[in-house]
Amino acid sequence: MAGLSLRCGDCGVQLRSVEEAQAHAEATSHTNFAESTEAVLNLVCADCGKPCRSQTEVDLHKKRTGHAEFTDKTMEAAKPIDLEAPPKPASEAMDVDASGSAEPQELVSPEVNKEMLGELESMGFSTARATRALHFSGNSTIEGAINWLSEHQEDPDIDEMPMVPANTVANKPSLTEEEKKIKAQELRDRARKKKEEEEKRMEREREKERIRIGKELLEAKKMEELNERKRIIELRRLEKEEEKRAREKIRQKLEEDKAERRRKLGLPAEAPAASKPSAPPPVEEKKSAFLPVRPATKAERMRDCLRNIKQQNKEEDAKVKRAFQTLLTYIGNVVKNPDEEKFRKIRLTNATFQERVGSLGGIEFLELCGFEKPEGEEILFLARDKVDKAVLNVAGAELNSAITNPFFGVL
């Protein structure tokens, strides 16, 4: 069977003709070729018609274009090898010098931009294809090389390394100093413009991010304020309920004490109907919709006194809290040691007392606890027989509430 291809014994590549073998030998310096009965692979893309001579080319074409269907036309394109190589044109094979003597001309691969060559190779193009594209597109830009590849991808020698005479490379005109300066300035201007555009884009992105964060912070602040208002309202509601329960307990206690005193005196129990006031006339009902005003209890008077102290010294929370703690200490000492006179006597001229309690209006609170100011003396004194632990305990409870409740005196 006649040979259908030539195989390079050095690298294993298959070639269709003697001309391809000669070009391969010039490009690689390989000289070991043998005739083969295996045809050169010819896989044609069903989408764009691009022929591929190896599975590697098929994989690269799939990666670049996404085309997946290929038709095997290997046997259709296969033909016997003609081992008689046609003579080369004189313009390619010989270099005639001025004296008329012909010499073989040395062929070398053209010089191309190494950076652009590396970029094309990173895109998946072979070295030979990338070099050919850069050489024939003027070795100017990546875009020009890619455009040239898209227009010449059907060329049969697309994957062969282009060869040019050595003297062409050697005699390639170089840029003058002025041209080099102009080229360098153009490159610098292009780089500066690109950097400015990138900085503008980043600034726009940062501004958008600042606006987004500002909106989020504003929403979070509004939500926090709303939650704080809800919490304050709930605390006020709970405080009112607690106060209502405390008043109800005091009322029940007073009723029980009243009933106990009547029992000890031998009086009959008070009839429920007798304690109720007679029904008011219908005309007056609208005017007296609320319960009759009753005298304030001592606990309420103490609470009002502490609230006045808090409200009159709004800007001095630390001093108010210290005054409440000092009053609580005075009351606690009397409850624990009622027989000790030193705990039941407070000198009004004492500088510490005046600074912590007297200057803030705490004397009125001590008087509600039972302390009295003897005529002609600068002291507050609580007589032993007037020590009422129940009253002092109520005072201690009110002071403790004023110290621990953050909304005391502001609601």
Side-chain angles (χ1 to χ4, degrees):
M1 182 177 179
L4 298 178
S5 64
L6 290 175
R7 182 184 297 276
C8 178
D10 296 316
C11 63
V13 66
Q14 285 184 292
L15 306 162
R16 289 195 181 97
S17 63
V18 175
E19 292 86 348
E20 291 186 6
Q22 289 176 346
H24 180 75
E26 292 175 357
T28 62
S29 300
H30 297 169
T31 58
N32 185 15
F33 296 92
E35 191 175 2
S36 174
T37 58
E38 183 179 353
V40 177
L41 192 64
N42 186 24
L43 299 176
V44 181
C45 178
D47 296 315
C48 63
K50 169 73 170 64
C52 297
R53 300 178 60 174
S54 67
Q55 189 61 43
T56 302
E57 290 187 23
V58 171
D59 295 338
L60 289 174
H61 187 72
K62 287 181 179 179
K63 182 177 179 181
R64 289 195 298 268
T65 64
H67 300 164
E69 297 295 330
F70 290 83
T71 305
D72 190 352
K73 295 184 179 182
T74 303
M75 300 311 299
E76 296 179 9
K79 59 181 180 179
I81 289 291
D82 183 8
L83 297 180
E84 295 296 331
K88 287 187 177 181
S91 60
E92 296 182 6
M94 308 294 288
D95 182 18
V96 181
D97 56 12
S99 62
S101 62
E103 295 182 358
Q105 194 171 31
E106 183 182 0
L107 299 178
V108 296
S109 58
E111 292 184 2
V112 296
N113 188 290
K114 301 299 182 182
E115 295 182 0
M116 290 191 288
L117 179 64
E119 291 185 22
L120 289 174
E121 289 178 344
S122 65
M123 295 179 186
F125 296 105
S126 63
T127 304
R129 184 172 293 199
T131 304
R132 181 175 289 272
L134 288 171
H135 173 66
F136 288 107
S137 65
N139 197 27
S140 56
T141 62
I142 293 292
E143 292 77 7
I146 293 176
N147 292 335
W148 188 92
L149 283 171
S150 63
E151 295 173 359
H152 296 80
Q153 60 181 351
E154 304 293 339
D155 295 352
D157 58 349
I158 188 67
D159 287 309
E160 296 179 6
M161 180 68 72
M163 307 300 292
V164 297
N167 59 355
T168 303
V169 177
N171 297 330
K172 183 178 179 181
S174 59
L175 298 175
T176 63
E177 291 297 327
E178 186 65 25
E179 290 174 339
K180 289 180 180 179
K181 290 180 180 179
I182 295 174
K183 189 70 174 177
Q185 185 63 35
E186 290 178 355
L187 293 175
R188 285 194 294 269
D189 293 342
R190 191 183 307 169
R192 184 178 67 254
K193 184 177 180 181
K194 184 177 180 181
K195 183 178 180 181
E196 291 175 355
E197 293 176 352
E198 182 66 18
E199 289 178 353
K200 290 180 180 179
R201 186 185 67 80
M202 294 299 296
E203 182 62 28
R204 288 194 298 269
E205 293 295 330
R206 286 193 291 268
E207 183 64 23
K208 290 179 181 179
E209 184 67 14
R210 284 195 294 268
I211 293 174
R212 184 186 66 80
I213 293 175
K215 289 182 178 179
E216 291 182 356
L217 290 176
L218 184 60
E219 291 296 327
K221 185 177 180 181
K222 289 182 179 179
M223 184 61 66
E224 183 179 359
E225 291 176 353
L226 178 61
N227 292 335
E228 182 65 17
R229 286 197 296 269
K230 289 181 179 179
R231 189 176 69 85
I232 292 174
I233 292 172
E234 181 65 16
L235 286 174
R236 293 180 63 183
R237 185 184 66 80
L238 294 175
E239 185 178 355
K240 288 181 179 179
E241 290 182 356
E242 181 65 25
E243 186 176 353
K244 183 178 179 180
R245 286 193 294 269
R247 289 179 179 177
E248 183 62 24
K249 288 181 180 180
I250 293 173
R251 188 189 65 78
Q252 292 179 358
K253 180 65 175 174
L254 292 175
E255 292 292 336
E256 292 174 0
D257 292 345
K258 185 177 180 181
E260 181 65 19
R261 286 195 299 270
R262 292 181 66 87
R263 186 183 63 77
K264 289 181 178 180
L265 295 173
L267 299 175
E270 185 177 5
S275 61
K276 294 182 179 180
S278 58
V283 178
E284 297 294 328
E285 185 175 358
K286 293 183 180 179
K287 296 183 180 179
S288 58
F290 299 95
L291 294 174
V293 178
R294 58 177 176 78
T297 63
K298 182 159 288 191
E300 292 173 343
R301 292 169 62 191
M302 291 179 179
R303 191 178 307 119
D304 290 339
C305 179
L306 295 176
R307 284 176 179 168
N308 290 335
I309 294 175
K310 183 72 177 285
Q311 291 174 357
Q312 291 172 4
N313 301 274
K314 290 181 179 179
E315 305 300 329
E316 298 178 324
D317 289 342
K319 287 187 176 182
V320 171
K321 186 175 181 180
R322 186 178 62 178
F324 290 168
Q325 290 173 342
T326 304
L327 290 171
L328 185 60
T329 302
Y330 286 145
I331 301 303
N333 288 337
V334 174
V335 172
K336 294 176 183 177
N337 307 281
D339 296 327
E340 294 288 338
E341 183 178 339
K342 65 179 181 179
F343 294 121
R344 293 184 281 109
K345 180 187 294 186
I346 302 173
R347 190 173 300 280
L348 295 176
T349 56
N350 186 285
T352 303
F353 173 80
Q354 284 297 329
E355 178 187 359
R356 295 191 176 189
V357 178
S359 61
L360 276 68
I363 296 176
E364 180 183 353
F365 183 83
L366 292 172
E367 291 176 345
L368 291 173
C369 296
F371 284 85
E372 297 177 348
K373 182 177 180 298
E375 186 177 355
E377 298 186 31
E378 291 297 324
I379 62 171
L380 286 176
F381 183 71
L382 178 59
R384 178 64 183 88
D385 57 348
K386 292 185 179 181
V387 174
D388 190 341
K389 289 189 176 182
V391 174
L392 296 177
N393 287 332
V394 171
E398 294 299 332
L399 284 168
N400 188 60
S401 175
I403 293 170
T404 59
N405 185 359
F407 302 101
F408 181 84
V410 297
L411 299 177

